Amino acid sequence: MFVKICGITNEADALMAVAMGADALGFVFAPSSRRVGPDDVRDIVRHVPDEVLTVGVFRDESAQRIVELVTSTGLGGVQLHGRESPGEATWIKARVPFVVQAFAAGDPRLERVDDYDVDAVLLDAAVPGSGTTFDWSLVGDLPRRRRVLLAGGLDPENVAEAIRAVDPWGVDVSSGVERGPGLKDVRRVRRFIAEARAAGDGPGTEPSVDPPGIFDEASPT
């Protein structure tokens, strides 16, 4: 089970999440209480181990600007949270090792999800970062066709239930492991990761897509 801790705002939280076993860290460049600047991201990323994926989160930013920021900060991937077209996602994917396209559950664009040549599809609540869940039945059979990264109101208390209901490739959390906006709580991070791994990687279970596959020839190493 791939676990991404998003909304990282400082080096201490980044290294704590890594120590707790996170596979990926997310840095928000879009307007948000957790927004961080390029200089801060660059300073944090340089201390993150190479095996941990670092992801910039963008919303309706130009494709050229996204690639510029990824290059200048040393990020390993991007998460697109806007109204990006399949063509824009493909253009970015040709220049960035790992790309996630986010959709709100029930978004009509999901009917064209296979047009998006990206590494994973993130499903979120209608208002990203709101800390609210959505009807997990809306995911349908998508996890059997694509790598699905499940987000939207996840926390240590409900992540195992969500994994059993959806069978995603991975999970993404931000506010659910915080003691305040942008400030992670070590106990909640530890418990979230433990609950996710127990539910997704426990005896008798198999992830829909093997998580180590993100580090193949077309992904960051």
Side-chain angles (χ1 to χ4, degrees), residues 52-221:
V52 176
L53 182 65
T54 52
V55 179
V57 180
F58 301 90
R59 182 168 69 242
D60 296 324
E61 183 66 78
S62 74
Q64 292 86 349
R65 179 60 175 158
I66 289 171
V67 172
E68 288 173 4
L69 286 168
V70 168
T71 302
S72 66
T73 58
L75 289 166
V78 302
Q79 185 170 306
L80 305 173
H81 253 283
R83 304 293 299 181
E84 295 83 11
S85 68
E88 289 171 318
T90 298
W91 191 89
I92 293 169
K93 174 59 186 160
R95 294 160 176 81
V96 176
F98 193 82
V99 178
V100 178
Q101 180 68 53
F103 299 89
D107 187 332
R109 291 185 304 153
L110 281 167
E111 295 180 2
R112 300 179 58 203
V113 68
D114 290 330
D115 293 340
Y116 284 84
D117 181 20
V118 294
D119 298 280
V121 173
L122 182 142
L123 295 182
D124 205 344
V127 181
S130 63
T132 58
T133 59
F134 63 90
D135 180 358
W136 295 324
S137 69
L138 293 173
V139 176
D141 68 350
L142 187 59
R144 290 193 286 274
R145 297 187 288 116
R146 300 294 300 265
R147 287 173 174 166
V148 169
L149 193 57
L150 184 66
L154 298 182
D155 58 37
E157 291 72 39
N158 67 16
V159 66
E161 179 186 2
I163 289 170
R164 288 191 291 267
V166 175
D167 189 25
W169 168 70
V171 288
D172 187 318
V173 65
S174 183
S175 62
V177 292
E178 290 183 339
R179 53 189 170 84
L183 300 174
K184 304 309 181 191
D185 183 302
V186 62
R187 290 171 295 184
R188 292 186 68 77
V189 170
R190 180 191 296 118
R191 185 181 167 202
F192 182 90
I193 294 174
E195 293 282 350
R197 293 269 160 69
D201 301 336
T205 65
E206 292 292 339
S208 298
V209 179
D210 187 13
I214 67 164
F215 301 114
D216 55 23
E217 293 180 358
S219 303
T221 57

